[in-house]
Amino acid sequence: MNNKENQLAMDHIETLTEEQQQALLEKYDTESNVRRITGIMKWVIFFGLLSFSLFQLYTAIFGQFTAVIQRSIHLGFGLTFIFLLFPARKKGSKTKIVFYDYILAVVAAITAIYWTLNYERLMTSLGTINQTDFIIGLIVIVLVLEAARRAVGLPIAIIAVLFLLYAFFGRQMPDFLAHRGQSLESIVNLMYFSTDGILGTPISVSATYIFAFLLFGAFLVKTGVGQYFNDLAVTVAGKLTGGPAKVAIFSSALQGTISGSSVANVVTSGSYTIPMMKKLGYKKEFAGGVEAAASTGGQIMPPIMGAAAFLMVEFIGRGITYWDIAKAAIIPAILYFTGIWIMTHFEAKRLGLEGLKDEDMPNRKEVFKKIYLLVPILLIIVLMISGVPVIHSALYGILSCIVVGIINRDVKFGVKEFIEALVDGARTALGVVAATACAGIIVGVVVKTGLGLSLANTLVDLAGGSILLTLVFVMIASLVLGMGSPTTANYVITSTIAAPAIVALLAPDVSQALVPVTILLSAHFFVFYFGIIADITPPVALAAFAASGISGGDPIKTGVSSAKLAIAAFIIPYMIVFSPELLMIDVTILQVVWVLITAVLGMIAIGAGVIGFWYRKINWIERLVLIAAGLAMIYPERISDVSGLVVFGILFVIQLMTKNKGNKPTTPKTPKVETAN
């Protein structure tokens, strides 16, 4: 049985068409709201995006140009095609390019080569710029803000503008935020003629690591790995209790290696997992919540995490490699998906749901014959563990994708598909270019004005020196900033203005150069996690809203359900700060094993308490006790661990002894069949 035959097994389950999936993406994912151009401009854009990828591949293989030239060309490519592909208004024409977008695209292309043409003069000008430089720099700032608004969303553009206003009106700010202020000329100089602004660290990472891995993801899709993830997930988890929900979790975790977008992940895997969950008997909101929570976790799933993880390498520095970040994320990712898995299991037991029927299952033998499709991902893991540079690992991964695509007879992979993968990768990168360029504006202001230190001190003072209260304030800030903003931009902001507050409390009176790496990682992972789960936190839970568009459920209720299922994500960041052993840095195996066991048992207790079912229905007193025991086991203290384990053990025995005396599992209501009038 090949992939087509496997798909036939699911044909009687109603799934979304490609058109419906695209409509959902355009509604909830700003980066997918692009024009579909025909005629000669279609090919101009096609070959332009191909040139973008070829430029990036050339510099990845043969070495990059000077930093400012590499970054300005990367920025120019991104801005040019954003104005050609993204309409100024969400409801703007999707089939033709308006005249002013042609003008903006041409201007963007001209500014892209300005650094290249004037490199020697600008490098020897000792930080001074002339009138032409000033005008060009000002134009670039405006273009970046508008491109970010179109390709990423209005929130990040507004935040960047507020930071620019802060830089200019520094003297008029309240005392705790006041600074000497910057002239318009100095702001323009900082933003485009230095490596502390738009051409700073964020876009440097975009122009190297992120682009390479986006290309890798595009090649994975073309070689059929994306569909294989779905088949493998159904094969492994389909027949388990509440099978479709566990398929969604497993599939979404794997899909995270291809898509760095929570919404895109929801639409890709949820278009078939959500209908399966509804057919089995899960409520609409719960089915959507499972998919949203699992898809959001794709960005924290090693080895290939969201774009923000690559930024973390540069922001922390201190010799940290991407593999160090990926390794540190392993246990938190296990706990995150374990928490969702446990709660979907208890919900299935509560409703009396079984797994998929045999006719809904793909041929297990045929699926495992295709296990070689995972070779590109496994190869990247091995290469990074071996110390191969990240960008080279991505290149070898792309080569392995090509080999796998040729071997896989279920997909056609030739020169045409190779070129299409290059174009798709470049198109996917456009939103990242806009986000990182705009984030560079924010970083530049923070560095120039010392805002990060001011806000960190303010947060610490507001919390009265309490680390727990400081973490709560940072969590709220990360969630608010993440509502409607991409994880990349959210991480840049919070890592520069909020993470320093955590570091200041965990390592008081210690200079940045001497702060232990574990503390830096803990602080950055804290803001990284909360920036990601903003996508499933009401009232603006974009991933949950997209899931509700598939399930037909209420968007807010779906958001609440996804947040409840992902409760582990609200706990894990605190665990990381208080128990850095989770990051597997400078710890023994016994320490890691102990923390992992108590944390998993804690998640089981919390999951049962939240759902209200274990081996039988449990009353509200038992639920509260279970949640308390779970939190005790998760809290990294030996006394709390032992206390939680004792209570957990007692309740476990009581559950086993009374499992046949409690209420029977709830039988789900038969869904009403809607008929056309």
Side-chain angles (χ1 to χ4, degrees), residues 613-653:
F613 193 93
W614 197 352
Y615 287 95
R616 59 167 172 78
K617 281 188 176 181
I618 52 180
N619 59 46
W620 66 270
I621 296 177
E622 291 174 307
R623 294 174 72 170
L624 290 176
V625 173
L626 272 171
I627 292 173
L631 290 172
M633 285 186 283
I634 288 173
Y635 188 77
E637 288 289 342
R638 189 57 58 91
I639 295 176
S640 65
D641 285 345
V642 173
S643 301
L645 282 170
V646 170
V647 175
F648 179 84
I650 293 172
L651 291 173
F652 176 70
V653 172

Side-chain angles (χ1 to χ4, degrees), residues 367-417:
V367 170
F368 283 115
K369 276 185 179 179
K370 302 289 186 182
I371 199 72
Y372 65 84
L373 290 172
L374 299 181
V375 165
I377 296 172
L378 298 175
L379 176 64
I380 279 185
I381 296 174
V382 172
L383 290 174
M384 288 196 295
I385 292 176
S386 303
V388 175
V390 173
I391 196 165
H392 292 163
S393 299
L395 290 174
Y396 289 127
I398 291 171
L399 286 175
S400 66
C401 283
I402 295 170
V403 174
V404 166
I406 295 172
I407 295 173
N408 185 9
R409 295 182 179 179
D410 291 331
V411 297
K412 181 183 177 182
F413 189 85
V415 175
K416 178 185 176 183
E417 288 71 28

Side-chain angles (χ1 to χ4, degrees), residues 275-292:
M276 280 198 297
M277 284 187 271
K278 288 171 61 182
K279 182 187 177 186
L280 191 68
Y282 284 109
K283 291 182 179 180
K284 296 177 181 179
E285 288 79 14
F286 189 86
V290 170
E291 182 57 52

Side-chain angles (χ1 to χ4, degrees), residues 228-262:
Y228 181 70
F229 285 160
N230 297 339
D231 294 337
L232 183 62
V234 175
T235 301
V236 172
K239 293 189 74 66
L240 300 177
T241 300
K246 292 172 181 175
V247 169
I249 297 168
F250 191 48
S251 174
S252 296
L254 293 174
Q255 290 286 355
T257 62
I258 296 177
S259 170
S261 165
S262 302

